[in-house]
Amino acid sequence: MSFKRKDLLGIRDLQVAEIEHILDLSRSLKEINARSIKKVPTLRGKTVVHLFYEPSTRTRTSFDIAAKRLSADTYSITGSTSSMVKGETLLDTMKNLEAMKPDVFVVRHSASGAPHLLAQHTEASVINAGDGMHEHPSQALLDMLTIHDHKGRLDGLNVVIVGDIYHSRVARSDIYGLTKMGSQVTLCGPPTLIPPDFELMGARVCNHLKDCIPEADVIMVLRLQKERQQQMLLPSLREYSIIYGISPAKLKNAKDDVIIMHPGPMNRGVEISPEVADGPHSVILDQVTNGVAVRMAVLYLLAQDRSSLPDISRPSSPE
Amino acid sequence: MSFKRKDLLGIRDLQVAEIEHILDLSRSLKEINARSIKKVPTLRGKTVVHLFYEPSTRTRTSFDIAAKRLSADTYSITGSTSSMVKGETLLDTMKNLEAMKPDVFVVRHSASGAPHLLAQHTEASVINAGDGMHEHPSQALLDMLTIHDHKGRLDGLNVVIVGDIYHSRVARSDIYGLTKMGSQVTLCGPPTLIPPDFELMGARVCNHLKDCIPEADVIMVLRLQKERQQQMLLPSLREYSIIYGISPAKLKNAKDDVIIMHPGPMNRGVEISPEVADGPHSVILDQVTNGVAVRMAVLYLLAQDRSSLPDISRPSSPE
Amino acid sequence: MSFKRKDLLGIRDLQVAEIEHILDLSRSLKEINARSIKKVPTLRGKTVVHLFYEPSTRTRTSFDIAAKRLSADTYSITGSTSSMVKGETLLDTMKNLEAMKPDVFVVRHSASGAPHLLAQHTEASVINAGDGMHEHPSQALLDMLTIHDHKGRLDGLNVVIVGDIYHSRVARSDIYGLTKMGSQVTLCGPPTLIPPDFELMGARVCNHLKDCIPEADVIMVLRLQKERQQQMLLPSLREYSIIYGISPAKLKNAKDDVIIMHPGPMNRGVEISPEVADGPHSVILDQVTNGVAVRMAVLYLLAQDRSSLPDISRPSSPE
């Protein structure tokens, strides 16, 4: 089995075997990041363009580190740069960059579907690094890798996702992925932020944290955007924190081996208490470490010459 | 024949043999960008500093890709960075960077002549990436390369440049270059935007598109800056578009093999219609592709050790 | 003797032998910057993250050039990027980046002590690139290297620092370093900008430039932040310039071989006249050149595998 796609646009379209293949490769590549010389020549001479129309530190840096550790050259185009200001269309910007012969575009955009549109118009590979309220596939892959690291499997687990499900592309990608892999996903949050169609995706909705925490193998805490309060979707951050914020008290009846995840950046004291974020159940920094490995795997699968086989066994250069 | 200059400041000063040398080398280097491993070690250990005092995505990215594909290290200093904010003079900023021993400065500045001033005060090479309303030599070189690719020659052609000639450094560099190479340049646009001294540069002025389009081998469409309307140089964008916008209707009497060029970014529906921009005569994306090759050639000629000969035949590294 | 620290947080804590070791290594590495191929493979596969919460062109570029000339991969996170905007704590940002396995953080922050806090929470090395009004150790090291280059020693010299001592982390680091190395530091500036506790650090205060200039071997001119006037710490920039600005007239009684230094960026005509900045006594650009060498040395000492010995004798790669 292998991965033959040109693009990684979402988890929804992936087959179980493809997800497994990416996760297997991620585990191999992860080891590179623990070396003293964290670099292999695999993608030398390849060009990766980060096209970020939404601000991002961690995702862009994670992709950038992943690309450079595979020896690719990277370029960063952000939404505040000139051509966009000058009123050029997204497609013209991309076609222009494509004419410079990049191998991969890593795209973040506030419009759901933007990476899909670009993928149809370029021969280069497109990786969706987050599109509107749609998908964020590399986040779901790193979440699955992290869960598998700690639980040894992805099937038969009970994963509770807490918070603003509605606006979260992370939640959507995780629901698609975890459900596909055989886990039960339970959603918990303010009713204004969990529309009923999530049940069509195979997730279950739980109204009270106390009902779903005892069964949870994994609790995934979503970031609460503070602007939701102004949008009248929440009474107050304080009340949100009291009802849905994950604190040691809320975890009293949790399983001993429950793991706590968060895609970052955290609002400490809002959706998660510092005690939990830094506590023994937290695997939040493992997620970040796995993010680099998963992105290396995805870049590798998309940017490699299709004929060649992985060779990650030797360091970058005979120096 | 070779290229012995320290700097590339404009097309005006170049000799025909120098232009031909750059274009020949560009054609050789272009092939690298079509490889699977798009990288050669030619400028390894060389330092290229992008000093951009005007916003730019495409030109800066094109130079950056060109430099990295030759294995140079690149650094980007933009106008919003601190020292400039802190009131340091342009020359002090450059002298400071020079003390860090770069090999090439790629300079864009809103003041005509800024790169020339810098070039006089540094031992490093200076490439003018656009200065005020003066010159943009690498754009003219990529335009000439593109025209030559499609027409097989640069002499005896009829090149029509349409739009805001007055404010365009692209037009100035193209007029210098194409006239030197033996083509006839015809300018067409609102009289407020074509001052009479362009005829002294060897160009001809044409008042009505319908008079010059039938003879054109090349139509070069300039971007119309929307602020020209506020400056009372245009009645309205809509009227501009009706009179000077290049649309299929305007091309009815054009030669079958006319090529349409645009330096980008395009205002679709203003100076060029989408049908023309994406149509069979358009070579706009070829221009972008050639931009990387031309900039590789220029960087190569300026940054190489003068004693050595080009060796672009092997990939970057025996890894 | 060697350098065994994980971090470089300040000059205050360094021993004389450690300073000497860094300066010796800087002298060896300096030669790389004069080569045609300015690159060695020493830190290949190492990851250096610039974490700059204050704007900076020259310091960040200097560290970046230093890192890349040693073949490290670099990443730049600046204060305007998203996660910080999104309200994440400094420590969470750093822990997240740490999870991506960098080797060195180069940190600039407006809060004194921020790099020290970070250093306690990461296994990576931390270099203080300027923290509030506290220290800027690489600046003091490059200043000492420059003084040694010109004077052949660091002991027994008379170094006069002129200007806004109070707000200057450069002054603090220089006082610590030069005093440690056996020089006498004399401070001269408006009384509002020289608090009495500097004498506890071993420096002498001089009220009138004319009293300390004749004995000076080195005059270090500090940048005057123009906002000091609004803060009522100065009567006017013009008056400051008349009393403390270093001009040829002020140097009339100076030693023939006095050297003039400035950490940049300069306010020409305020704290230093153009004649002095560009005059025969000025070593200001030597400071910048030495900055790259000193930062290469520091990066090398912190990021190398502790077991290995320096090998800077061959160029980057056998290509």
Side-chain angles (χ1 to χ4, degrees):
Chain A
M1 166 61 210
S2 66
F3 188 90
K4 301 281 189 202
R5 294 172 187 269
K6 177 173 89 69
D7 310 298
L8 178 67
L9 299 175
I11 298 294
R12 185 179 194 170
D13 301 329
L14 295 186
Q15 294 173 19
V16 168
E18 290 176 308
I19 293 174
E20 282 171 349
H21 186 63
I22 297 171
L23 297 182
D24 284 347
L25 183 59
S26 302
R27 272 182 285 266
S28 313
L29 291 164
K30 197 172 162 178
E31 176 264 329
I32 292 168
N33 296 312
R35 292 181 188 171
S36 169
I37 295 180
K38 289 175 282 288
K39 195 154 183 143
V40 291
T42 318
L43 298 188
R44 182 153 180 87
K46 301 293 181 183
T47 300
V48 175
V49 176
H50 305 299
L51 198 56
F52 273 61
Y53 285 74
E54 280 188 343
S56 163
T57 301
R58 71 189 55 224
T59 303
R60 193 172 51 76
T61 304
S62 180
F63 270 110
D64 207 30
I65 289 180
K68 287 187 182 166
R69 289 198 178 151
L70 293 171
S71 298
D73 287 321
T74 66
Y75 305 87
S76 205
I77 315 287
T78 58
S80 57
T81 51
S82 69
S83 294
M84 304 179 194
V85 172
K86 291 178 188 165
E88 192 180 49
T89 66
L90 173 62
L91 210 51
D92 274 341
T93 298
M94 202 259 329
K95 292 300 283 180
N96 263 280
L97 291 165
E98 189 195 11
M100 301 181 198
K101 309 298 177 198
D103 298 281
V104 182
F105 287 106
V106 179
V107 181
R108 170 166 289 193
H109 202 285
S110 59
S112 304
H116 306 68
L117 174 73
L118 296 180
Q120 285 164 25
H121 289 86
T122 177
E123 285 174 38
S125 293
V126 173
I127 299 174
N128 179 0
D131 65 322
M133 287 160 50
H134 182 223
E135 282 230 36
H136 189 355
S138 63
Q139 178 72 40
L141 289 164
L142 73 87
D143 286 341
M144 289 189 274
L145 182 62
T146 307
I147 293 171
H148 193 282
D149 281 355
H150 287 273
K151 300 293 174 189
R153 60 188 168 109
L154 288 176
D155 61 305
L157 296 173
N158 202 324
V159 180
V160 177
I161 307 183
V162 184
D164 179 2
I165 313 292
Y166 178 60
H167 296 91
S168 175
R169 52 198 177 206
V170 174
R172 277 178 186 74
S173 288
D174 272 322
I175 294 168
Y176 286 129
L178 289 164
T179 303
K180 238 179 249 278
M181 303 309 282
S183 281
Q184 172 64 53
V185 177
T186 304
L187 310 175
C188 186
T192 48
L193 297 174
I194 309 187
D197 48 329
F198 275 92
E199 292 187 288
L200 302 175
M201 291 166 66
R204 205 164 55 182
V205 174
C206 154
N207 291 317
H208 301 291
L209 269 182
K210 67 174 168 43
D211 297 336
C212 49
I213 280 186
E215 294 166 43
D217 297 297
V218 177
I219 299 172
M220 203 175 278
V221 186
L222 298 179
R223 172 180 172 77
L224 188 78
Q225 307 283 352
K226 292 186 181 167
E227 53 271 34
R228 301 299 172 232
Q229 193 177 341
Q230 281 106 57
Q231 296 165 329
M232 310 293 266
L233 293 166
L234 292 178
S236 78
L237 289 183
R238 189 160 168 279
E239 189 170 314
Y240 179 88
S241 176
I242 290 168
I243 303 178
Y244 298 104
I246 303 298
S247 60
K250 295 259 181 49
L251 295 178
K252 214 170 279 175
N253 297 316
K255 291 189 182 178
D256 283 350
D257 64 349
V258 68
I259 59 173
I260 309 290
M261 304 175 76
H262 190 298
M266 290 187 277
N267 287 311
R268 287 170 175 264
V270 180
E271 75 268 7
I272 191 167
S273 75
E275 294 81 2
V276 173
D278 304 327
H281 298 288
S282 169
V283 300
I284 294 171
L285 295 175
D286 292 354
Q287 289 173 275
V288 180
T289 300
N290 280 337
V292 175
V294 157
R295 285 159 185 140
M296 287 172 81
V298 170
L299 286 165
Y300 173 81
L301 290 170
L302 299 179
Q304 66 171 324
D305 302 313
R306 309 281 159 161
S307 57
S308 70
L309 282 169
D311 175 9
I312 57 167
S313 58
R314 68 215 164 92
S316 176
S317 172
E319 291 158 344
Chain B
M1 166 60 209
S2 66
F3 189 90
K4 302 281 189 203
R5 294 171 188 270
K6 176 173 91 69
D7 310 299
L8 177 68
L9 299 174
I11 297 294
R12 185 179 195 170
D13 301 329
L14 295 186
Q15 295 174 18
V16 168
E18 290 176 308
I19 293 174
E20 283 171 349
H21 186 63
I22 296 171
L23 298 183
D24 284 348
L25 183 59
S26 302
R27 272 182 285 267
S28 313
L29 292 164
K30 198 172 159 176
E31 177 263 329
I32 293 168
N33 296 312
R35 292 180 189 172
S36 168
I37 294 180
K38 290 176 281 288
K39 195 154 183 146
V40 292
T42 319
L43 298 188
R44 181 152 180 88
K46 301 292 182 183
T47 300
V48 175
V49 176
H50 305 299
L51 198 56
F52 273 62
Y53 285 74
E54 280 187 344
S56 164
T57 301
R58 70 191 56 226
T59 303
R60 192 171 50 76
T61 304
S62 180
F63 270 110
D64 207 31
I65 288 180
K68 287 186 182 166
R69 288 198 178 151
L70 294 170
S71 298
D73 287 321
T74 67
Y75 304 87
S76 205
I77 315 287
T78 58
S80 57
T81 50
S82 70
S83 294
M84 304 178 194
V85 173
K86 290 180 189 165
E88 191 181 50
T89 66
L90 174 62
L91 211 52
D92 274 340
T93 298
M94 203 260 328
K95 292 301 282 180
N96 262 280
L97 290 165
E98 189 195 12
M100 300 181 198
K101 308 300 179 198
D103 297 281
V104 182
F105 286 107
V106 179
V107 180
R108 170 164 289 192
H109 201 285
S110 59
S112 304
H116 306 69
L117 175 72
L118 297 181
Q120 284 164 27
H121 289 85
T122 175
E123 285 174 38
S125 293
V126 174
I127 298 175
N128 179 0
D131 65 320
M133 288 161 49
H134 182 224
E135 282 230 37
H136 189 356
S138 63
Q139 178 73 38
L141 289 164
L142 73 87
D143 286 342
M144 289 189 274
L145 181 62
T146 307
I147 293 171
H148 194 282
D149 281 354
H150 287 273
K151 299 294 174 189
R153 61 191 168 105
L154 288 176
D155 61 304
L157 296 172
N158 202 322
V159 180
V160 178
I161 307 183
V162 185
D164 178 4
I165 313 293
Y166 179 59
H167 295 92
S168 176
R169 52 198 177 206
V170 173
R172 277 178 186 73
S173 287
D174 272 321
I175 294 169
Y176 286 129
L178 289 164
T179 303
K180 237 178 248 277
M181 302 311 282
S183 282
Q184 172 63 53
V185 177
T186 303
L187 309 175
C188 187
T192 47
L193 296 174
I194 309 186
D197 48 327
F198 275 92
E199 293 187 289
L200 303 175
M201 290 166 67
R204 204 165 57 183
V205 174
C206 155
N207 291 317
H208 301 291
L209 267 184
K210 68 176 167 44
D211 297 336
C212 50
I213 280 186
E215 295 167 41
D217 297 298
V218 177
I219 300 173
M220 203 175 278
V221 187
L222 299 179
R223 173 181 171 78
L224 187 79
Q225 307 282 354
K226 294 186 180 167
E227 52 270 34
R228 301 300 172 232
Q229 193 179 340
Q230 280 108 58
Q231 296 165 329
M232 310 293 266
L233 293 166
L234 291 178
S236 78
L237 288 183
R238 190 161 166 277
E239 189 171 315
Y240 179 88
S241 176
I242 289 167
I243 303 177
Y244 298 104
I246 303 298
S247 60
K250 297 259 181 50
L251 295 178
K252 214 172 278 176
N253 298 314
K255 292 187 181 178
D256 283 349
D257 63 348
V258 68
I259 59 173
I260 309 290
M261 304 175 75
H262 190 297
M266 291 187 277
N267 286 312
R268 286 170 174 262
V270 181
E271 74 268 8
I272 191 166
S273 75
E275 294 82 2
V276 173
D278 305 328
H281 299 287
S282 170
V283 300
I284 294 170
L285 294 175
D286 292 355
Q287 290 174 274
V288 180
T289 300
N290 280 336
V292 175
V294 157
R295 286 160 184 140
M296 286 172 82
V298 171
L299 285 165
Y300 172 80
L301 290 170
L302 299 179
Q304 66 171 325
D305 303 312
R306 309 282 158 158
S307 57
S308 71
L309 283 169
D311 175 8
I312 57 166
S313 58
R314 69 216 162 94
S316 178
S317 174
E319 294 162 340
Chain C
M1 165 60 208
S2 66
F3 188 90
K4 303 279 189 203
R5 293 172 189 270
K6 177 174 89 71
D7 310 298
L8 178 66
L9 299 175
I11 298 294
R12 185 179 195 170
D13 302 328
L14 296 186
Q15 295 173 20
V16 169
E18 289 175 308
I19 293 174
E20 283 171 348
H21 185 63
I22 297 171
L23 298 182
D24 285 347
L25 183 59
S26 301
R27 272 182 285 265
S28 313
L29 291 164
K30 197 172 162 176
E31 177 263 329
I32 293 169
N33 296 313
R35 293 181 188 171
S36 168
I37 295 180
K38 292 176 280 289
K39 193 152 183 146
V40 291
T42 319
L43 298 188
R44 182 154 179 87
K46 300 293 182 184
T47 300
V48 175
V49 176
H50 305 300
L51 197 57
F52 273 62
Y53 285 73
E54 280 188 344
S56 162
T57 301
R58 70 189 56 226
T59 303
R60 192 171 51 77
T61 304
S62 180
F63 270 110
D64 206 30
I65 288 180
K68 286 186 182 167
R69 288 197 178 151
L70 293 171
S71 298
D73 287 321
T74 66
Y75 304 87
S76 205
I77 315 287
T78 58
S80 57
T81 50
S82 70
S83 294
M84 304 178 194
V85 172
K86 291 181 189 164
E88 192 181 50
T89 67
L90 174 62
L91 211 52
D92 274 340
T93 297
M94 203 258 331
K95 292 300 284 181
N96 262 280
L97 291 164
E98 189 196 12
M100 301 181 199
K101 309 296 178 200
D103 298 280
V104 182
F105 287 106
V106 179
V107 180
R108 170 165 289 192
H109 201 285
S110 60
S112 305
H116 305 70
L117 174 72
L118 296 181
Q120 286 164 26
H121 289 85
T122 175
E123 285 174 37
S125 293
V126 174
I127 299 175
N128 180 0
D131 66 320
M133 288 161 49
H134 182 223
E135 283 231 36
H136 188 355
S138 63
Q139 178 72 38
L141 289 164
L142 73 88
D143 286 341
M144 289 189 273
L145 181 62
T146 307
I147 293 170
H148 194 280
D149 281 354
H150 287 273
K151 300 294 175 190
R153 60 191 167 105
L154 288 175
D155 62 303
L157 297 172
N158 202 324
V159 181
V160 177
I161 306 182
V162 184
D164 178 3
I165 314 292
Y166 178 59
H167 297 91
S168 175
R169 53 199 176 204
V170 174
R172 277 178 185 75
S173 287
D174 272 321
I175 294 168
Y176 286 128
L178 289 163
T179 304
K180 239 178 247 277
M181 302 310 283
S183 282
Q184 172 63 54
V185 177
T186 305
L187 309 175
C188 186
T192 48
L193 296 174
I194 309 186
D197 48 329
F198 276 92
E199 293 187 290
L200 303 176
M201 290 167 65
R204 202 163 59 182
V205 174
C206 153
N207 292 316
H208 301 291
L209 267 182
K210 68 173 168 42
D211 297 337
C212 50
I213 280 185
E215 296 166 41
D217 297 296
V218 177
I219 300 173
M220 203 175 279
V221 187
L222 299 179
R223 173 180 172 76
L224 188 78
Q225 308 283 352
K226 292 184 181 169
E227 54 270 33
R228 301 300 172 231
Q229 193 177 341
Q230 280 106 57
Q231 295 165 328
M232 309 293 268
L233 292 166
L234 292 177
S236 78
L237 287 183
R238 189 161 168 279
E239 189 170 314
Y240 179 88
S241 176
I242 290 168
I243 303 178
Y244 298 104
I246 303 298
S247 61
K250 297 258 181 49
L251 295 179
K252 214 171 278 175
N253 297 316
K255 292 188 181 178
D256 283 349
D257 64 350
V258 67
I259 60 173
I260 309 291
M261 303 175 77
H262 190 297
M266 290 187 277
N267 286 312
R268 287 171 174 265
V270 180
E271 75 267 6
I272 191 166
S273 76
E275 295 81 2
V276 173
D278 305 327
H281 298 287
S282 170
V283 300
I284 294 170
L285 294 175
D286 292 354
Q287 289 174 273
V288 181
T289 300
N290 280 336
V292 175
V294 157
R295 286 161 184 139
M296 286 172 82
V298 171
L299 285 166
Y300 172 81
L301 290 169
L302 299 179
Q304 67 172 325
D305 302 312
R306 311 280 158 159
S307 56
S308 72
L309 281 169
D311 175 7
I312 57 167
S313 59
R314 67 212 165 94
S316 177
S317 172
E319 294 162 338

